[in-house]
Amino acid sequence: MAPDTSTATDADALAALADIERLGTQLRAARASIGKVIYGQQDVIDQTLVALLSGGHLLLIGVPGLAKTKLVETLGVVLGMEAKRIQFTPDLMPADILGSEVLEESDTGRRSFRFIEGPVFAQLLMADEINRASPRTQSALLQSMQEKHVTVAGKRYDLPAPFHVLATQNPLEQEGTYPLPEAQLDRFLLQIDVGYPDEAAERQIMIGTTGATTAVASPTLTPTDLMAAQALVRRLPIGESVVDAIVKLVRAGRPESSDLDVVKQRVAWGPGPRASQAFMLAARARAIIQGRLAPSVDDVVALAGPILRHRMAVNFSARAEGITVETVINQMCARLA
């Protein structure tokens, strides 16, 4: 006679529900704490939390003065993570990021090499103006972003857990910059375009940041809480209809498999499998942030821009006609509605 597993299954479901509700409470507290310092960027805050809950890296693009750096600093405080910052410049070398070996001599005269860790050994790494460094230096982050360890002089060094790279990029000043290669862009879970605040938020910024005292964020989670939340995101059920929508959307962005004329004729290259993986994780994380127990097709549509805009490129004829990647993504999403 087969054992009755219904009781155990119900208990597991109730435990998962309690974990999700507890995480939702923690996330609401985190959003409120970040909102004390960052004004009028709620969508950016939510998408940043989506990336962290999904265990991914984040690329923030916006003009100067939109609190991109401040957001990363605030996240380090709210999440209790060890945060470090690298200002990328044209003369930055890979050793300035990863660290290097130095030759030391002991009191007995014996010489040996000692590895000195670079700033990449942090839980939250801010890569400020990442496109200002040379391709050689940019590539130093590739292994750490994908494999969570670095190799120096043939020896492996594991990075702290959790490990997240939050990079910023200025879209205006293109003198002396090196565009990120497609392989590195693909390693960012989301690309968030940070826009100008609305009028009410700008009033808050003017008043809140120029007085005798300024607001300070308070810790609401720990790195251990974040890793537990990332494990919970992967346990969240996802419906077959959402999976079908993700597959349909990603494949519609590839000129080789798309049945959309604008993609066939105007897209140079489309998203790879990492885009599908990003949708699966980010849709779950967004559902939890919004207090829902399962993602929907609406989550897929809402995340299409941040997930796909850096994983696709239009060709020369599209640029000549004023067709952008956003235009193509909007047409792709219209078919899911």
Side-chain angles (χ1 to χ4, degrees):
M1 182 176 179
D4 184 9
T5 59
S6 60
T7 303
T9 303
D10 291 343
D12 291 342
L14 290 173
L17 180 59
D19 289 341
I20 292 171
E21 291 177 348
R22 183 171 59 253
L23 175 58
T25 302
Q26 292 176 319
L27 290 174
R28 284 191 291 273
R31 292 172 72 196
S33 184
I34 296 171
K36 293 178 183 177
V37 181
I38 307 296
Y39 304 102
Q41 298 285 7
Q42 194 58 58
D43 286 344
V44 174
I45 293 171
D46 287 348
Q47 290 176 17
T48 301
L49 290 174
V50 164
L52 295 178
L53 283 178
S54 303
H57 310 291
L58 184 67
L59 181 62
L60 296 162
I61 297 183
V63 300
L66 296 181
K68 300 185 297 296
T69 304
K70 189 68 174 177
L71 174 61
V72 180
E73 294 174 355
T74 305
L75 283 170
V77 173
V78 172
L79 301 177
M81 300 170 71
E82 180 192 7
K84 293 182 182 178
R85 177 177 179 270
I86 304 174
Q87 178 63 54
F88 279 66
T89 57
D91 60 346
L92 195 73
M93 299 297 290
D96 298 326
I97 298 175
L98 304 179
S100 59
E101 289 190 323
V102 296
L103 184 63
E104 289 186 335
E105 185 173 342
S106 66
D107 295 338
T108 60
R110 183 178 180 180
R111 295 181 178 181
S112 61
F113 283 100
R114 181 170 67 90
F115 178 67
I116 298 179
E117 296 180 348
V120 74
F121 287 85
Q123 294 173 322
L124 190 65
L125 178 67
M126 180 179 182
D128 210 356
E129 294 189 299
I130 189 173
N131 59 330
R132 290 205 168 279
S134 67
R136 178 185 178 187
T137 303
Q138 290 176 6
S139 66
L141 279 178
L142 283 173
Q143 183 183 26
S144 59
M145 292 174 66
Q146 182 66 28
E147 301 173 23
K148 307 298 175 66
H149 68 260
V150 299
T151 304
V152 178
K155 188 174 180 180
R156 168 175 168 159
Y157 298 91
D158 291 326
L159 297 173
F163 174 74
H164 298 277
V165 175
L166 273 65
T168 69
Q169 191 170 310
N170 185 347
L172 297 180
E173 299 175 13
Q174 296 303 321
E175 286 293 328
T177 61
Y178 303 85
L180 296 179
E182 289 79 6
Q184 188 158 5
L185 284 172
D186 198 31
R187 283 168 169 78
F188 287 101
L189 185 87
L190 303 180
Q191 175 186 310
I192 300 177
D193 292 344
V194 185
Y196 291 107
D198 57 29
E199 183 177 346
E202 194 150 4
R203 284 179 177 273
Q204 282 185 295
I205 294 170
M206 291 166 55
I207 297 169
T209 60
T210 59
T213 60
T214 56
V216 179
S218 56
T220 60
L221 286 91
T222 66
T224 303
D225 293 332
L226 179 60
M227 288 190 290
Q230 291 170 351
L232 181 61
V233 166
R234 290 178 174 268
R235 289 164 48 199
L236 200 70
I238 186 166
E240 193 66 31
S241 61
V242 179
V243 175
D244 291 341
I246 291 171
V247 173
K248 180 179 179 181
L249 184 63
V250 172
R251 294 187 65 82
R254 301 169 184 163
E256 299 82 4
S257 58
S258 178
D259 57 356
L260 282 173
D261 290 338
V262 68
V263 175
K264 289 181 178 180
Q265 300 170 9
R266 298 294 184 261
V267 172
W269 50 272
R274 278 201 188 102
S276 304
Q277 295 170 329
F279 272 116
M280 290 290 286
L281 292 171
R284 291 168 165 143
R286 187 174 187 269
I288 290 178
I289 288 174
Q290 294 191 350
R292 291 180 280 113
L293 302 180
S296 67
V297 176
D298 290 339
D299 293 314
V300 177
V301 174
L303 292 164
I307 289 176
L308 296 178
R309 63 170 62 106
H310 60 297
R311 291 184 168 96
M312 299 175 62
V314 294
N315 55 29
F316 177 78
S317 61
R319 293 194 296 270
E321 296 174 11
I323 298 175
T324 64
V325 171
E326 294 288 348
T327 304
V328 177
I329 292 174
N330 289 338
Q331 291 192 34
M332 292 162 53
C333 290
R335 305 182 65 188
L336 297 180

